[in-house]
Amino acid sequence: MLLAWALSLVNPAPLRLRRRGYVRQSGLLHARSRRCRAAWAPHLARARGVILAAAEATVGRGSAVVLGSGLLDDVPLDALAKLFDRVTLVDAVHPWPARLAARRHGNVALMTAEISAGLTDPDLAKLCAAADLIVSANLLSQLPIVPIEAYEARGLEAPPRLGTQIVETHLAALNWLAGHVERICLITDTVQRAEDRAGRVTDSLDVMFGVMLPPPVEAWDWELAPFGEVSRRRRLIHRVHAYPDWRAARG
């Protein structure tokens, strides 16, 4: 927790996003990613592979936009910067490791945006509509977290369909973009299951908030919290769905 607190202090972000809890959430994710580096490695490698395959299959190489770029652990930034004339990383918070990585490339830019609102930001909508490749990188299930926690922090109960509406809003934005850009790559976790040390599933959670996705082109397990992270006797595993061509996947 000390590392997460320290990161929440040093990571740059607009005050409005800091007050809404995005910097805190980024710090928690950053700290967990470092604690669980070995457990996360297979998932991150699979995600980078899917994104790279989608990028290489994109004929137009003018612009790529990564939504939910975060720490860039799951984004093959060096390859994207070589393949495309311009790469824009979009997130509510750009941690220092991502900022330093972006600075190594003259054609990589950062955009700060609250992606949970969909494409209501005109600048974001314009940027995405002009791109050749859009990547939604392990973002979809994360979008409802901060808005829901904002209600809880005030002692209020979040509207029952808030999570569902946020997931649907993001998918609606991708569906709209599918009519404007060449390729959209979506990677998202869909279900969380808790396992004990005997391998028995003790609990499960739909992190899509009831929204159904088409059959994935690729799927794998992500050991989000290995034994000892949240409990000595329990680990959390997320099922990940990958769609290197969202337009084709949704039919």
Side-chain angles (χ1 to χ4, degrees):
M1 294 300 292
L2 181 60
L3 175 59
W5 175 79
L7 291 169
S8 70
L9 292 179
V10 301
N11 280 333
L15 182 59
R16 61 182 178 83
L17 296 181
R18 183 177 293 276
R19 285 176 172 170
R20 291 178 186 175
Y22 285 101
V23 176
R24 173 183 174 275
Q25 183 64 31
S26 175
L28 290 171
L29 180 62
H30 190 167
R32 172 172 278 188
S33 74
R34 295 315 180 244
R35 292 194 305 269
C36 304
R37 185 188 302 270
W40 287 23
H43 157 68
L44 297 175
R46 290 288 297 269
R48 288 192 298 268
V50 170
I51 295 171
L52 180 57
E56 291 176 338
T58 304
V59 177
R61 300 287 176 85
S63 171
V65 176
V66 180
L67 302 175
S69 51
L71 290 161
L72 296 176
D73 288 343
D74 50 358
V75 178
L77 182 61
D78 293 345
L80 292 178
K82 290 179 181 178
L83 288 169
F84 292 86
D85 296 336
R86 299 179 307 282
V87 178
T88 305
L89 308 175
V90 183
D91 215 326
V93 179
H94 296 283
W96 277 111
R99 290 175 177 269
L100 295 175
R103 287 178 183 177
R104 295 199 298 265
H105 303 282
N107 62 338
V108 175
L110 306 178
M111 172 182 276
T112 300
E114 189 175 5
I115 310 173
S116 63
L119 294 178
T120 55
D121 182 331
D123 292 335
L124 178 59
K126 183 178 179 180
L127 171 75
C128 291
D132 298 289
L133 171 68
I134 301 288
V135 177
S136 176
N138 292 295
L139 167 70
L140 184 55
S141 71
Q142 303 298 305
L143 290 174
I145 293 177
V146 170
I148 289 175
E149 287 185 344
Y151 280 92
E152 295 172 348
R154 301 196 302 269
L156 302 174
E157 185 174 345
R161 294 196 75 255
L162 178 60
T164 302
Q165 290 169 348
I166 291 174
V167 170
E168 290 176 338
T169 295
H170 187 69
L171 291 176
L174 296 186
N175 291 339
W176 180 80
L177 287 170
H180 295 76
V181 307
E182 180 184 341
R183 182 174 290 265
I184 295 171
C185 174
L186 169 64
I187 303 173
T188 181
D189 42 348
T190 59
V191 176
Q192 174 182 284
R193 70 179 190 269
E195 288 187 356
D196 63 18
R197 288 190 175 272
R200 293 185 294 260
V201 177
T202 59
D203 194 14
S204 64
L205 176 67
D206 174 14
V207 297
M208 287 289 95
F209 295 88
V211 177
M212 299 298 294
L213 296 177
V217 176
E218 295 188 38
W220 62 86
D221 283 344
W222 170 16
E223 190 177 17
L224 180 76
F227 293 114
E229 174 66 15
V230 296
S231 170
R232 291 175 55 194
R233 298 180 175 86
R234 183 170 63 105
R235 66 175 180 169
L236 301 179
I237 298 176
H238 282 205
R239 189 63 175 170
V240 179
H241 286 189
Y243 307 87
D245 186 349
W246 175 247
R247 181 192 292 112
R250 72 187 182 94

